[in-house]
mmCIF file with all atom_site columns, all heavy atoms in Angstrom:
data_model
loop_
_atom_site.group_PDB
_atom_site.id
_atom_site.type_symbol
_atom_site.label_atom_id
_atom_site.label_alt_id
_atom_site.label_comp_id
_atom_site.label_asym_id
_atom_site.label_entity_id
_atom_site.label_seq_id
_atom_site.pdbx_PDB_ins_code
_atom_site.Cartn_x
_atom_site.Cartn_y
_atom_site.Cartn_z
_atom_site.occupancy
_atom_site.B_iso_or_equiv
_atom_site.pdbx_formal_charge
_atom_site.auth_seq_id
_atom_site.auth_comp_id
_atom_site.auth_asym_id
_atom_site.auth_atom_id
_atom_site.pdbx_PDB_model_num
ATOM 1   N N   . SER A 1 176 ? 113.292 -38.622 -107.345 1.00 0.00 ? 176 SER A N   1
ATOM 2   C CA  . SER A 1 176 ? 112.431 -38.260 -108.471 1.00 0.00 ? 176 SER A CA  1
ATOM 3   C C   . SER A 1 176 ? 113.203 -37.523 -109.553 1.00 0.00 ? 176 SER A C   1
ATOM 4   O O   . SER A 1 176 ? 112.612 -37.031 -110.513 1.00 0.00 ? 176 SER A O   1
ATOM 5   C CB  . SER A 1 176 ? 111.281 -37.364 -107.997 1.00 0.00 ? 176 SER A CB  1
ATOM 6   O OG  . SER A 1 176 ? 110.808 -37.746 -106.742 1.00 0.00 ? 176 SER A OG  1
ATOM 7   N N   . GLY A 1 177 ? 114.529 -37.379 -109.360 1.00 0.00 ? 177 GLY A N   1
ATOM 8   C CA  . GLY A 1 177 ? 115.345 -36.703 -110.362 1.00 0.00 ? 177 GLY A CA  1
ATOM 9   C C   . GLY A 1 177 ? 115.325 -35.190 -110.245 1.00 0.00 ? 177 GLY A C   1
ATOM 10  O O   . GLY A 1 177 ? 115.795 -34.484 -111.134 1.00 0.00 ? 177 GLY A O   1
ATOM 11  N N   . LEU A 1 178 ? 114.780 -34.681 -109.140 1.00 0.00 ? 178 LEU A N   1
ATOM 12  C CA  . LEU A 1 178 ? 114.721 -33.216 -108.968 1.00 0.00 ? 178 LEU A CA  1
ATOM 13  C C   . LEU A 1 178 ? 115.961 -32.722 -108.228 1.00 0.00 ? 178 LEU A C   1
ATOM 14  O O   . LEU A 1 178 ? 116.456 -33.387 -107.318 1.00 0.00 ? 178 LEU A O   1
ATOM 15  C CB  . LEU A 1 178 ? 113.457 -32.843 -108.194 1.00 0.00 ? 178 LEU A CB  1
ATOM 16  C CG  . LEU A 1 178 ? 112.156 -33.208 -108.932 1.00 0.00 ? 178 LEU A CG  1
ATOM 17  C CD1 . LEU A 1 178 ? 110.965 -33.197 -107.988 1.00 0.00 ? 178 LEU A CD1 1
ATOM 18  C CD2 . LEU A 1 178 ? 111.927 -32.258 -110.103 1.00 0.00 ? 178 LEU A CD2 1
ATOM 19  N N   . PRO A 1 179 ? 116.481 -31.539 -108.625 1.00 0.00 ? 179 PRO A N   1
ATOM 20  C CA  . PRO A 1 179 ? 117.739 -31.045 -108.050 1.00 0.00 ? 179 PRO A CA  1
ATOM 21  C C   . PRO A 1 179 ? 117.639 -30.776 -106.544 1.00 0.00 ? 179 PRO A C   1
ATOM 22  O O   . PRO A 1 179 ? 116.618 -30.269 -106.063 1.00 0.00 ? 179 PRO A O   1
ATOM 23  C CB  . PRO A 1 179 ? 118.009 -29.754 -108.810 1.00 0.00 ? 179 PRO A CB  1
ATOM 24  C CG  . PRO A 1 179 ? 116.761 -29.414 -109.517 1.00 0.00 ? 179 PRO A CG  1
ATOM 25  C CD  . PRO A 1 179 ? 115.961 -30.670 -109.675 1.00 0.00 ? 179 PRO A CD  1
ATOM 26  N N   . THR A 1 180 ? 118.701 -31.119 -105.825 1.00 0.00 ? 180 THR A N   1
ATOM 27  C CA  . THR A 1 180 ? 118.765 -30.918 -104.371 1.00 0.00 ? 180 THR A CA  1
ATOM 28  C C   . THR A 1 180 ? 120.000 -30.091 -104.017 1.00 0.00 ? 180 THR A C   1
ATOM 29  O O   . THR A 1 180 ? 120.852 -29.846 -104.866 1.00 0.00 ? 180 THR A O   1
ATOM 30  C CB  . THR A 1 180 ? 118.860 -32.272 -103.638 1.00 0.00 ? 180 THR A CB  1
ATOM 31  O OG1 . THR A 1 180 ? 120.078 -32.904 -104.043 1.00 0.00 ? 180 THR A OG1 1
ATOM 32  C CG2 . THR A 1 180 ? 117.677 -33.179 -103.952 1.00 0.00 ? 180 THR A CG2 1
ATOM 33  N N   . GLY A 1 181 ? 120.108 -29.709 -102.761 1.00 0.00 ? 181 GLY A N   1
ATOM 34  C CA  . GLY A 1 181 ? 121.310 -29.027 -102.253 1.00 0.00 ? 181 GLY A CA  1
ATOM 35  C C   . GLY A 1 181 ? 121.641 -27.796 -103.079 1.00 0.00 ? 181 GLY A C   1
ATOM 36  O O   . GLY A 1 181 ? 120.760 -27.018 -103.469 1.00 0.00 ? 181 GLY A O   1
ATOM 37  N N   . LEU A 1 182 ? 122.923 -27.609 -103.341 1.00 0.00 ? 182 LEU A N   1
ATOM 38  C CA  . LEU A 1 182 ? 123.397 -26.446 -104.089 1.00 0.00 ? 182 LEU A CA  1
ATOM 39  C C   . LEU A 1 182 ? 122.686 -26.311 -105.437 1.00 0.00 ? 182 LEU A C   1
ATOM 40  O O   . LEU A 1 182 ? 122.383 -25.214 -105.899 1.00 0.00 ? 182 LEU A O   1
ATOM 41  C CB  . LEU A 1 182 ? 124.918 -26.558 -104.270 1.00 0.00 ? 182 LEU A CB  1
ATOM 42  C CG  . LEU A 1 182 ? 125.608 -25.471 -105.084 1.00 0.00 ? 182 LEU A CG  1
ATOM 43  C CD1 . LEU A 1 182 ? 125.300 -24.083 -104.548 1.00 0.00 ? 182 LEU A CD1 1
ATOM 44  C CD2 . LEU A 1 182 ? 127.115 -25.706 -105.107 1.00 0.00 ? 182 LEU A CD2 1
ATOM 45  N N   . GLU A 1 183 ? 122.427 -27.464 -106.074 1.00 0.00 ? 183 GLU A N   1
ATOM 46  C CA  . GLU A 1 183 ? 121.774 -27.472 -107.384 1.00 0.00 ? 183 GLU A CA  1
ATOM 47  C C   . GLU A 1 183 ? 120.386 -26.806 -107.318 1.00 0.00 ? 183 GLU A C   1
ATOM 48  O O   . GLU A 1 183 ? 119.992 -26.083 -108.222 1.00 0.00 ? 183 GLU A O   1
ATOM 49  C CB  . GLU A 1 183 ? 121.654 -28.937 -107.824 1.00 0.00 ? 183 GLU A CB  1
ATOM 50  C CG  . GLU A 1 183 ? 121.723 -29.180 -109.291 1.00 0.00 ? 183 GLU A CG  1
ATOM 51  C CD  . GLU A 1 183 ? 123.001 -28.682 -109.943 1.00 0.00 ? 183 GLU A CD  1
ATOM 52  O OE1 . GLU A 1 183 ? 124.083 -28.712 -109.303 1.00 0.00 ? 183 GLU A OE1 1
ATOM 53  O OE2 . GLU A 1 183 ? 122.911 -28.241 -111.097 1.00 0.00 ? 183 GLU A OE2 1
ATOM 54  N N   . HIS A 1 184 ? 119.669 -27.066 -106.252 1.00 0.00 ? 184 HIS A N   1
ATOM 55  C CA  . HIS A 1 184 ? 118.350 -26.444 -106.031 1.00 0.00 ? 184 HIS A CA  1
ATOM 56  C C   . HIS A 1 184 ? 118.505 -24.959 -105.674 1.00 0.00 ? 184 HIS A C   1
ATOM 57  O O   . HIS A 1 184 ? 117.822 -24.095 -106.222 1.00 0.00 ? 184 HIS A O   1
ATOM 58  C CB  . HIS A 1 184 ? 117.641 -27.193 -104.891 1.00 0.00 ? 184 HIS A CB  1
ATOM 59  C CG  . HIS A 1 184 ? 116.484 -26.463 -104.261 1.00 0.00 ? 184 HIS A CG  1
ATOM 60  N ND1 . HIS A 1 184 ? 115.194 -26.578 -104.709 1.00 0.00 ? 184 HIS A ND1 1
ATOM 61  C CD2 . HIS A 1 184 ? 116.431 -25.602 -103.197 1.00 0.00 ? 184 HIS A CD2 1
ATOM 62  C CE1 . HIS A 1 184 ? 114.385 -25.825 -103.961 1.00 0.00 ? 184 HIS A CE1 1
ATOM 63  N NE2 . HIS A 1 184 ? 115.108 -25.222 -103.034 1.00 0.00 ? 184 HIS A NE2 1
ATOM 64  N N   . ILE A 1 185 ? 119.442 -24.688 -104.761 1.00 0.00 ? 185 ILE A N   1
ATOM 65  C CA  . ILE A 1 185 ? 119.586 -23.338 -104.209 1.00 0.00 ? 185 ILE A CA  1
ATOM 66  C C   . ILE A 1 185 ? 119.983 -22.330 -105.293 1.00 0.00 ? 185 ILE A C   1
ATOM 67  O O   . ILE A 1 185 ? 119.479 -21.212 -105.348 1.00 0.00 ? 185 ILE A O   1
ATOM 68  C CB  . ILE A 1 185 ? 120.610 -23.344 -103.057 1.00 0.00 ? 185 ILE A CB  1
ATOM 69  C CG1 . ILE A 1 185 ? 120.072 -24.179 -101.886 1.00 0.00 ? 185 ILE A CG1 1
ATOM 70  C CG2 . ILE A 1 185 ? 120.933 -21.934 -102.602 1.00 0.00 ? 185 ILE A CG2 1
ATOM 71  C CD1 . ILE A 1 185 ? 121.138 -24.594 -100.879 1.00 0.00 ? 185 ILE A CD1 1
ATOM 72  N N   . LYS A 1 186 ? 120.896 -22.761 -106.183 1.00 0.00 ? 186 LYS A N   1
ATOM 73  C CA  . LYS A 1 186 ? 121.415 -21.783 -107.147 1.00 0.00 ? 186 LYS A CA  1
ATOM 74  C C   . LYS A 1 186 ? 120.360 -21.369 -108.174 1.00 0.00 ? 186 LYS A C   1
ATOM 75  O O   . LYS A 1 186 ? 120.508 -20.350 -108.839 1.00 0.00 ? 186 LYS A O   1
ATOM 76  C CB  . LYS A 1 186 ? 122.674 -22.312 -107.828 1.00 0.00 ? 186 LYS A CB  1
ATOM 77  C CG  . LYS A 1 186 ? 122.459 -23.418 -108.820 1.00 0.00 ? 186 LYS A CG  1
ATOM 78  C CD  . LYS A 1 186 ? 123.814 -23.921 -109.310 1.00 0.00 ? 186 LYS A CD  1
ATOM 79  C CE  . LYS A 1 186 ? 123.661 -24.818 -110.521 1.00 0.00 ? 186 LYS A CE  1
ATOM 80  N NZ  . LYS A 1 186 ? 124.921 -25.513 -110.847 1.00 0.00 ? 186 LYS A NZ  1
ATOM 81  N N   . LYS A 1 187 ? 119.272 -22.118 -108.283 1.00 0.00 ? 187 LYS A N   1
ATOM 82  C CA  . LYS A 1 187 ? 118.197 -21.760 -109.230 1.00 0.00 ? 187 LYS A CA  1
ATOM 83  C C   . LYS A 1 187 ? 117.183 -20.784 -108.617 1.00 0.00 ? 187 LYS A C   1
ATOM 84  O O   . LYS A 1 187 ? 116.315 -20.271 -109.311 1.00 0.00 ? 187 LYS A O   1
ATOM 85  C CB  . LYS A 1 187 ? 117.446 -23.029 -109.657 1.00 0.00 ? 187 LYS A CB  1
ATOM 86  C CG  . LYS A 1 187 ? 118.265 -23.969 -110.529 1.00 0.00 ? 187 LYS A CG  1
ATOM 87  C CD  . LYS A 1 187 ? 117.337 -25.000 -111.184 1.00 0.00 ? 187 LYS A CD  1
ATOM 88  C CE  . LYS A 1 187 ? 118.048 -25.831 -112.231 1.00 0.00 ? 187 LYS A CE  1
ATOM 89  N NZ  . LYS A 1 187 ? 118.762 -26.978 -111.652 1.00 0.00 ? 187 LYS A NZ  1
ATOM 90  N N   . LEU A 1 188 ? 117.253 -20.576 -107.306 1.00 0.00 ? 188 LEU A N   1
ATOM 91  C CA  . LEU A 1 188 ? 116.210 -19.797 -106.632 1.00 0.00 ? 188 LEU A CA  1
ATOM 92  C C   . LEU A 1 188 ? 116.235 -18.308 -106.973 1.00 0.00 ? 188 LEU A C   1
ATOM 93  O O   . LEU A 1 188 ? 115.221 -17.634 -106.918 1.00 0.00 ? 188 LEU A O   1
ATOM 94  C CB  . LEU A 1 188 ? 116.341 -19.937 -105.109 1.00 0.00 ? 188 LEU A CB  1
ATOM 95  C CG  . LEU A 1 188 ? 115.840 -21.233 -104.486 1.00 0.00 ? 188 LEU A CG  1
ATOM 96  C CD1 . LEU A 1 188 ? 116.169 -21.243 -102.996 1.00 0.00 ? 188 LEU A CD1 1
ATOM 97  C CD2 . LEU A 1 188 ? 114.343 -21.389 -104.694 1.00 0.00 ? 188 LEU A CD2 1
ATOM 98  N N   . GLY A 1 189 ? 117.461 -17.806 -107.245 1.00 0.00 ? 189 GLY A N   1
ATOM 99  C CA  . GLY A 1 189 ? 117.567 -16.364 -107.474 1.00 0.00 ? 189 GLY A CA  1
ATOM 100 C C   . GLY A 1 189 ? 118.023 -15.594 -106.252 1.00 0.00 ? 189 GLY A C   1
ATOM 101 O O   . GLY A 1 189 ? 117.950 -14.371 -106.216 1.00 0.00 ? 189 GLY A O   1
#
Side-chain angles (χ1 to χ4, degrees):
S176 323
L178 297 164
T180 63
L182 177 54
E183 212 58 33
H184 163 90
I185 294 163
K186 72 185 192 191
K187 291 194 171 84
L188 283 175

